[in-house]
Amino acid sequence: DISMVVHFDTHDNVSDSENASPQKLLVQERWKKAAKLVNEAAVASRKVSLENKIGTKGDELDDDDPLRVIALSVQRSLRDFGKSAKNTDGKRFRGKRNRGREGKLVTKDTLEYLADEGETTFTVPQPQNECERILDEEFKRIRTAFGVTDESISSFFFLTPDQRYILKQCTANDVHSIRNILTRYRAHIESSCRNNGEDEEKTISTSLLPRLFGLYSLRFADPSIPDVVLLAQANFFAAAHKIHKKFDLKGSTHNRFASERECKKDSPVFKDLDWVEQGHRLRFPSKKEMDDVRDQLQRDTEFLSSCDLIDYSLLVGVHEMDKSMLDCYEKNSEPFRVVYTRSCGERIICYFGIVDVLTPYGTEKALETLLTGTLMCCRDVSCQAPDIYHHRFMQFCNDQILDYDESSTDSLSASLFHAMGPSDERQQGADSSRTDKLEPNVIEADGVDQHDPSFAECRSSDCN
């Protein structure tokens, strides 16, 4: 939040700079430099803006809510999977500060937990359960391509409030789609790797597809607690600055306005025709940088088309810069590798990425295209065959989304390939001091606004 930044006003002390003594002018100049350094430090040390955070804390859920149990069970499992990289002899893992947090690695990819008996450090009763990581060899290579370590992914969920990652509850259809595309997805992500500018030997994928980091199956002995499959992925909106507007852009023009009811919400999600009407653009500081993004979007959507996937969107979050404090934006202030561009002309920061990529174009979708589009005067409905969907999406990106402004020399201009945030290795030290916290933020599917893009990857079938 910009309000965190400190101001030092020295003008009240010197009514007329021209008449001030050299000593006072020197003091004034030093205060200005100090103020700028403090402002930069305050911005650079930020984490996700509080106003962008989502979910419900675990202790705010009802005592009998199964999500309380699932939250802590997943937390324990992911932490122990992180430790298992250095321990494969089947021993139990035991936390140093929380006795009783232990699991047994029964296979390379399966942890088993017994029910809590007697005294326990947990405020939530822990039943007998088993957690399995699915297709982890493929996901491990994907994590490496995005610069994510096993240690960092093992400690994110319900453990630290930074919200870098999201766990999505998967349907059977989601799991089926992931299994079908995972090997090709991994190869595509690895083919998109490039030097990240920090280490010549280290490359980071620049793909704009959802960053999928792991698939976990959680099974409980108690039949009253539902079994779940959870997909770990990055949060595109883990931004340091407040996101003022959100857009879900598919490239379709038929009825793609936010409804009146949607616009009345605290955090409405606007759509394609709203974007055009409001005149926004993802404006880059050079044609080359714009072309880099266009080429990546082209490769990503060609991949989705080759997998017969549709209904994906370009999710865009817009932060409107505080014009009175532009100095605070000069340096990269993003704590994580969120993808963004800063527009010097419009004074906005746009965070963006492709979401909702697990919908296959099968018989039901082909019938939907026929009934709502082809038989209705061929109107431009969202649901189209994969190749048509891909070409329409890219046409909309070229005509209405991507732009550049080489005439500006403003130092505020920046884009994703040149400012992708600090590596996990640097951030991990800051997170490690908080690994004992048991204050989960639960992303609850039921009762959540289905059009809120903060949940776009959690409710992929609802963002139509």
Side-chain angles (χ1 to χ4, degrees), residues 265-302:
K265 296 178 180 178
D266 293 336
S267 182
V269 182
F270 298 103
K271 299 184 179 180
D272 303 65
L273 295 177
D274 301 304
W275 174 271
V276 175
E277 187 177 79
Q278 295 181 31
H280 288 301
R281 290 290 188 275
L282 294 184
R283 207 176 304 277
F284 297 87
S286 70
K287 184 177 185 300
K288 179 184 183 304
E289 290 172 83
M290 180 192 70
D291 288 341
D292 285 344
V293 176
R294 175 191 285 120
D295 292 345
Q296 188 61 60
L297 283 169
Q298 179 73 24
R299 289 192 294 269
D300 288 340
T301 52
E302 282 179 350

Side-chain angles (χ1 to χ4, degrees), residues 237 243-250 256 268-276 278-280 313-318 350-351 353 355 453:
F237 283 173
I243 294 173
H244 296 100
K245 293 182 180 180
K246 303 167 187 176
F247 293 87
D248 181 77
L249 308 175
K250 293 180 181 293
R256 289 289 292 173
V269 182
F270 298 103
K271 299 184 179 180
D272 303 65
L273 295 177
D274 301 304
W275 174 271
V276 175
Q278 295 181 31
H280 288 301
S313 308
L314 186 69
L315 189 64
V316 181
V318 177
C350 292
Y351 303 90
V355 297

Side-chain angles (χ1 to χ4, degrees), residues 11-30:
H11 294 288
D12 292 339
N13 298 327
V14 182
S15 58
D16 188 350
S17 298
E18 294 180 358
N19 297 328
S21 67
Q23 185 176 4
K24 285 186 176 181
L25 288 174
L26 180 60
V27 171
Q28 183 178 356
E29 187 63 29
R30 287 177 177 175

Side-chain angles (χ1 to χ4, degrees), residues 195-427:
N195 186 274
N196 69 345
E198 297 174 356
D199 184 343
E200 292 184 358
E201 297 182 358
K202 186 174 183 179
T203 59
I204 299 294
S205 178
T206 58
S207 173
L208 297 171
L209 292 176
R211 302 170 185 180
L212 311 181
F213 295 143
L215 191 64
Y216 303 90
S217 171
L218 196 61
R219 298 179 290 272
F220 294 88
D222 184 348
S224 67
I225 305 174
D227 296 343
V228 293
V229 178
L230 301 165
L231 176 65
Q233 56 194 341
N235 178 10
F236 280 123
F237 283 173
H241 304 288
K242 177 183 177 181
I243 294 173
H244 296 100
K245 293 182 180 180
K246 303 167 187 176
F247 293 87
D248 181 77
L249 308 175
K250 293 180 181 293
S252 171
T253 57
H254 176 69
N255 202 29
R256 289 289 292 173
F257 278 111
S259 66
E260 183 178 346
R261 180 182 176 185
E262 180 71 21
C263 292
K264 291 180 180 179
K265 296 178 180 178
D266 293 336
S267 182
V269 182
F270 298 103
K271 299 184 179 180
D272 303 65
L273 295 177
D274 301 304
W275 174 271
V276 175
E277 187 177 79
Q278 295 181 31
H280 288 301
R281 290 290 188 275
L282 294 184
R283 207 176 304 277
F284 297 87
S286 70
K287 184 177 185 300
K288 179 184 183 304
E289 290 172 83
M290 180 192 70
D291 288 341
D292 285 344
V293 176
R294 175 191 285 120
D295 292 345
Q296 188 61 60
L297 283 169
Q298 179 73 24
R299 289 192 294 269
D300 288 340
T301 52
E302 282 179 350
F303 164 76
L304 295 175
S305 179
S306 71
C307 295
D308 289 331
L309 296 172
I310 62 168
D311 275 359
Y312 47 87
S313 308
L314 186 69
L315 189 64
V316 181
V318 177
H319 168 75
E320 297 168 349
M321 294 168 139
D322 186 336
K323 295 180 180 180
S324 66
M325 305 184 69
L326 294 178
D327 287 349
C328 302
Y329 296 98
E330 288 186 2
K331 292 189 176 181
N332 173 32
S333 58
E334 296 301 331
F336 310 122
R337 284 195 178 95
V338 292
V339 183
Y340 71 94
T341 182
R342 290 197 295 251
S343 172
C344 57
E346 295 179 85
R347 298 300 190 207
I348 61 174
I349 301 176
C350 292
Y351 303 90
F352 59 97
I354 299 173
V355 297
D356 304 341
V357 300
L358 297 179
T359 303
Y361 189 74
T363 304
E364 290 185 8
K365 287 294 183 180
L367 186 60
E368 181 183 340
T369 303
L370 177 66
L371 296 178
T372 62
T374 306
L375 297 181
M376 300 297 290
C377 301
C378 296
R379 61 189 184 187
D380 187 25
V381 295
S382 175
C383 184
Q384 298 289 347
D387 57 336
I388 297 175
Y389 195 100
H390 153 65
H391 288 298
R392 182 187 63 186
F393 180 90
M394 285 306 305
Q395 188 66 46
F396 189 82
C397 288
N398 291 329
D399 294 344
Q400 303 293 344
I401 298 179
L402 303 177
D403 201 354
Y404 71 98
D405 184 7
E406 286 186 332
S407 63
S408 174
T409 58
D410 198 315
S411 62
L412 298 180
S413 299
S415 64
L416 81 156
F417 292 124
H418 299 282
M420 294 185 68
S423 66
D424 266 336
E425 287 79 359
R426 284 187 288 166
Q427 185 62 37

